[in-house]
Amino acid sequence: MPTVPTSPTAAQLPARTAAVWAALDPLVGAGTPLRILDVGGGSGMFAVPLARLGHSVTVVDPSADALATLHRRAQTDGVGERVRGVQGDGDLLHEVLADDGGYDLALCHSVLEVVDDPAVTLREVAGALRPGGTVSLAVANRAGAVLARAVAGHPVEALAVLRDQETVPGRGGRRRFTHGDLLVLVDGAGLTAGEWRGVSVVADLLEAASGADPTAVRNLELALAETSPYREVAAGLHLLATRP
């Protein structure tokens, strides 16, 4: 069985995703190839780096164009045999994957914001895991969106985001979550919540600043991602949860 090389966080990946990779490091860099499911990850932003580490990745995405991009990227990087694209929706994984369950790790990044029912989708993702498997959840953070609009000079929009608890996907908006919202969803899916981080606490702001050192931005982002009260106002939230 092949071993897994150094974790991707050793490379200078974008600071915005550094916190997510840091959370995944203990799993994907532990030395054992994993069966990974990436729901909604059609273009391969996570799937291809994970395949380069030696893992086997199945990507489920409704977009044929995104899956075509995934295929090209995987082939270009020489990991085409370890990446499989399947067209379908996250809330129908039991049909899309048939009996192909038992994944060690499932990624559900920027998906719950736009699906018809986040609870149904997360239950489907949980059901695809083996006992003891892990879900990596990344979602837009309500508090971060409120503050972003406020500091940009749009107080009316900020108040609307604060009050809009039931944004309807497909109508120009997306859901945003609090940490508490995630805990409710995780519990409803029969999962056990683990550690959580803020995603892009300051990375987007600092990377836009002229002369900001990328390494310094990355280091600051990683430090703030696990620290309250900063993680509570990040652009996104990341949480790991396990299937008992």
Side-chain angles (χ1 to χ4, degrees):
M1 181 178 290
T3 58
V4 177
T6 305
S7 166
T9 57
Q12 291 302 307
L13 291 171
R16 195 180 198 286
T17 60
V20 177
W21 281 111
L24 293 176
D25 271 355
L27 300 171
V28 303
T32 302
L34 304 175
R35 294 187 70 227
I36 298 176
L37 172 65
D38 187 355
V39 179
S43 64
M45 184 177 70
F46 279 85
V48 171
L50 288 169
R52 286 202 301 264
L53 288 170
H55 303 297
S56 174
V57 188
T58 295
V59 178
V60 175
D61 196 285
S63 170
D65 289 341
L67 292 174
T69 299
L70 167 72
H71 177 73
R72 290 193 298 270
R73 183 175 291 175
Q75 292 296 328
T76 298
D77 280 43
V79 295
E81 75 283 358
R82 290 198 293 273
V83 176
R84 177 172 68 120
V86 179
Q87 189 171 7
D89 295 318
D91 57 358
L92 294 173
L93 289 179
H94 67 285
E95 296 180 4
V96 173
L97 298 175
D99 295 327
D100 185 26
Y103 288 91
D104 302 299
L105 172 65
L107 310 185
C108 186
H109 297 168
S110 302
V111 170
L112 299 185
E113 295 94 328
V114 296
V115 295
D116 290 336
D117 189 330
V120 170
T121 297
L122 188 54
R123 285 197 296 269
E124 288 282 315
V125 174
L129 290 173
R130 64 166 176 79
T134 302
V135 176
S136 169
L137 286 172
V139 299
N141 180 22
R142 179 169 298 279
V146 171
L147 290 179
R149 282 157 177 73
V151 299
H154 304 294
V156 175
E157 290 184 15
L159 186 59
V161 171
L162 176 65
R163 290 176 172 173
D164 189 7
Q165 300 295 326
E166 298 294 337
T167 298
V168 179
R171 297 184 184 176
R174 58 203 295 247
R175 295 182 186 86
R176 296 171 182 85
F177 299 85
T178 66
H179 179 233
D181 295 332
L182 282 184
L183 293 180
V184 171
L185 287 170
V186 164
D187 184 66
L191 300 167
T192 301
E195 63 182 24
W196 69 284
R197 289 171 163 84
V199 178
S200 188
V201 181
V202 294
D204 289 345
L205 296 173
L206 290 177
E207 286 184 339
S210 176
D213 177 64
T215 300
V217 172
R218 175 186 172 83
N219 291 340
L220 177 60
E221 183 64 34
L222 287 171
L224 295 177
E226 297 182 87
T227 306
S228 292
Y230 310 105
R231 62 182 177 175
E232 282 86 351
V233 295
L237 300 173
H238 180 263
L239 182 144
L240 294 176
T242 57
R243 176 178 176 179

